[in-house]
Amino acid sequence: MTTTSVARPRRRARRTAVAWLFLAPFAVVFLVYTAIPTVAALGFSLTDLRGTDLKHPFAVDFTGLDNFVRLFQDDSFLRDILNTALFVAVGVPLTMAIGFALAVALNSGIRRLRGTFRTLFFAPVVTNVVAVALIWQYAFYADGTVNRGLDAVGLAGPNWLDDPNLAMPVVILLGVWRNFGTAMVLFLAGLQAIPDDVYEAASLDGAGKWRQLRHITLPLLLPTTLMVSVLLTVFYLQVFDEPYLLTDGGPLGSTESVALYTYHQFGAGEFGMSSAASFVMLVLVALVSLVQFRLLRPRT
Amino acid sequence: MTALAALRNTSTTTDLLAPRRRPVARPLLYGALVLCALLTTLPFFWVLSGSLRSLDEIRSDPGAWLPHHVTFDNFLRLFRTEGFGQFMVNSVVVAAIVVAGNIVAASAAGYALAKLDFAGKRLAFGAVMAAMMVPFTAVFVTQFVITVDLGLADTLTGIALPGVAMPLSVFIMRQYAMSIPDELLEAARIDGAGEFRIFFRIFLPLSGPAVATITIMSFLASWNNFIWPLIVAQSMDTYTLPVGLAATSQAAANVKDYGLLLAGAIVVMLPVLLLFLFLQRYFVQGISGTGMR
């Protein structure tokens, strides 16, 4: 013991150096593309940086909280926050309900085709969003297949994506279609972690399927449910691809999300404003993540 | 350990509960599942059937379900479309860089975080977890500025680089490395093997399943990535498939050339869907890996 105590600090330093060598490739990319950009985004949000200033990013004016003041006076930004909230409020429960129902169905004693069903339900998750959005546009335009289906049953279909009241439901539908498979897989994993004995005991005591669902499955699945809801909330808070590709935020801004606002400001060369809006997003996501940690900590 | 128990449990659940089920429930359950599966896969079926129809047919009868006359004309036109071959090459090159980078960076980092004891370990792991939570939209402006400063704007390297070190890959590798017994590595250390030797000779050969998972996850992320290439690629020379498809779609929509668009959609979706059909177990593992810590 005493002989090694001298050698120990040096050995530990060597070990640390070796470990950091292993970490280096990840650490470098992480620093350049995550750590520095996060800090810099906050810095940018306090300046009037424009796309045309890119050559001299440090020569721009420090404008303090001006961007944030402008942001919260901008009706279109407030509207986009509401749109995003609507996306989360409708998308998250819908995605979870479908994912949960399918997970329970797949876990409830069917054996044949179980893997096939799981594969089919998960396929939208891996599908390219640009390709799917094209199909969605093609389906929902005035003479598209959806309206022809409605026509067949005697209904006149609207021009979905050009109607400020109808565009959002279509955009949300695409989001739900792309994500319920993720929810399903996570719920399946959660369901499979519940020990059988619990169900056996319950059914010996005469508890029916519904009571088992209510008194065993739902309570024991609570950690999974929380995790899925946080994951989806964070995901839908950042929704970009669907509204960008289907409607580019239109008609009349009815489907513009906060992320899309950020992108549009960026496209207009308003880097300072864009960073401020993205910082609001960062705070929202951080808040949700914090809630997740609070809710999940005691259990894990 | 829990995963293993979970696997065992499901099979016994099925055995125990199946006989007790009321006879009417099972056909109902299958009926509902088939209906859901049809609704889910409708868009796939439909894009395929659309891509196999001639332009005239699509124009005269835009919403029909099946082609009256199957033709591959749309695909032939697609590959003759200017730039499309280039978009494909670009997508493949970017995906190759991203996948290779992830394998190197994540396996090394995962090994260090799980198996080495060093100063700053908690900080490093905290950074990985935090990085998973930073929304892309919060950093893309600064990422873009950095990419411009590095002289990587409008280059394939610039498109690939941010995806080279996915925190999710590190997390998956670390979780996997935790399950490899320390005794194995300790024995090699006692025999005088250095950390690099242990990493290459013992850890990597044992990590097949985890490497497969991160390969698929990072390929998927790169192949389907849309917004970042959209920002960095500024000329047709660096467009990836999704960006090229989106650009083509704007042009094609004006002339209502839906055949071309649907064929393009098939070409973009197909590699991932085929890969997915063969390797879906790893896809699913990667997804549940995010949550099941």
Side-chain angles (χ1 to χ4, degrees), chain A residues 21-203:
Chain A
L21 222 55
F22 274 100
L23 276 168
F26 175 79
V28 169
V29 180
F30 168 80
L31 269 182
V32 174
Y33 284 105
T34 304
I36 295 174
T38 308
V39 177
L42 181 57
F44 282 7
S45 71
L46 303 175
T47 69
D48 62 355
L49 180 71
R50 297 186 52 85
T52 44
D53 303 328
L54 264 194
K55 295 265 166 0
H56 329 277
F58 296 103
V60 295
D61 284 334
F62 177 81
T63 55
L65 295 175
D66 274 11
N67 287 329
F68 291 94
V69 173
R70 271 173 71 197
L71 209 54
F72 284 99
Q73 284 170 349
D74 183 354
D75 286 341
S76 62
F77 183 70
L78 299 176
R79 176 201 62 207
D80 293 353
I81 288 192
L82 286 180
N83 285 342
T84 308
L86 181 68
F87 211 104
V88 171
V90 178
V92 172
L94 203 59
T95 310
M96 287 180 73
I98 298 174
F100 178 73
L102 291 174
V104 169
L106 289 184
N107 199 45
S108 66
I110 72 155
R111 238 198 271 172
R112 220 165 294 165
L113 293 177
R114 189 172 152 172
T116 314
F117 278 128
R118 196 184 67 168
T119 306
L120 290 179
F121 292 139
F122 196 69
V125 177
V126 301
T127 307
N128 189 286
V129 66
V130 181
V132 189
L134 279 179
I135 311 166
W136 238 251
Q137 269 181 337
Y138 178 64
F140 282 94
Y141 87 116
D143 303 328
T145 307
V146 171
N147 280 356
R148 286 172 58 95
L150 290 175
D151 207 30
V153 293
L155 292 169
N159 202 343
W160 298 87
L161 295 172
D162 284 337
D163 186 325
N165 294 315
L166 295 173
M168 187 58 121
V170 178
V171 173
I172 295 179
L173 193 67
L174 175 56
V176 171
W177 181 80
R178 286 186 71 211
N179 290 297
F180 78 83
T182 306
M184 177 195 72
V185 166
L186 293 171
F187 276 127
L188 258 178
L191 285 172
Q192 298 185 352
I194 300 177
D196 290 337
D197 343 8
V198 190
Y199 288 108
E200 270 169 55
S203 73

Side-chain angles (χ1 to χ4, degrees), chain B residues 53-116:
Chain B
R53 303 166 73 206
S54 74
L55 200 54
D56 287 344
E57 216 186 291
I58 297 178
R59 278 186 181 147
S60 63
D61 188 8
W65 288 99
L66 284 170
H68 301 293
H69 173 75
V70 170
T71 172
F72 291 95
D73 182 51
N74 294 321
F75 291 94
L76 295 176
R77 287 192 301 125
L78 181 70
F79 284 103
R80 280 199 298 264
T81 303
E82 199 204 339
F84 201 79
Q86 184 68 50
F87 304 158
M88 217 155 162
V89 172
N90 292 344
S91 265
V92 170
V93 170
V94 169
I97 300 175
V98 167
V99 169
N102 267 282
I103 293 175
V104 173
S107 60
Y111 175 73
L113 288 174
K115 292 297 176 202
L116 300 178

